[in-house]
Amino acid sequence: MANDLPMLSDELNASLDDKAFALCQPLCDKSMADGQITAFFDARGLACPMPLLKAKVALRTVADSKSLYLIATDKNSQTDLVAFCQKQGLQVQSWADDVYHFIITK
């Protein structure tokens, strides 16, 4: 995982369930300014193309220079989300462990 990943805002931390919070915890330990990630979507268990469609909807609430953090379990979501971000001119950081993680910045 990159050392420059943004942190979750306090409000976003408060909204996560325990399982999702455990997956997001590494982001909370990073040293960037608080509040970079302002939206979170848990797409675990959703089949392709739902993670992409849910990301599109969630990005409507994200301000410029802010990020959406999305987790998914469908392996095709990585290809779909990265291609979408490249096409839309959005920055995306992705990695995988037990799930696929995406930080999409407007």
Side-chain angles (χ1 to χ4, degrees), residues 18-86:
D18 291 340
K19 201 172 216 182
F21 182 79
L23 291 168
C24 301
Q25 184 59 42
L27 296 177
C28 299
D29 297 334
K30 299 301 174 190
S31 62
M32 281 189 73
D34 197 20
Q36 178 76 22
I37 297 173
T38 57
F40 172 79
F41 190 82
D42 183 351
R44 290 176 293 168
L46 297 180
C48 189
M50 289 308 294
L52 173 60
L53 297 174
K54 296 296 187 176
K56 288 180 179 181
V57 171
L59 283 167
R60 293 178 191 162
T61 66
V62 176
D64 289 343
S65 301
K66 299 296 181 180
S67 302
L68 163 68
Y69 179 38
L70 182 136
I71 56 176
T73 50
D74 187 304
K75 66 179 180 178
N76 294 321
S77 63
Q78 185 158 17
T79 304
D80 290 349
L81 284 162
V82 170
F84 166 76
C85 291
Q86 289 173 343

Side-chain angles (χ1 to χ4, degrees), residues 83-97:
F84 166 76
C85 291
Q86 289 173 343
K87 186 174 182 178
Q88 296 299 314
L90 303 171
Q91 296 177 4
V92 62
Q93 297 174 344
S94 65
W95 69 97
D97 46 33

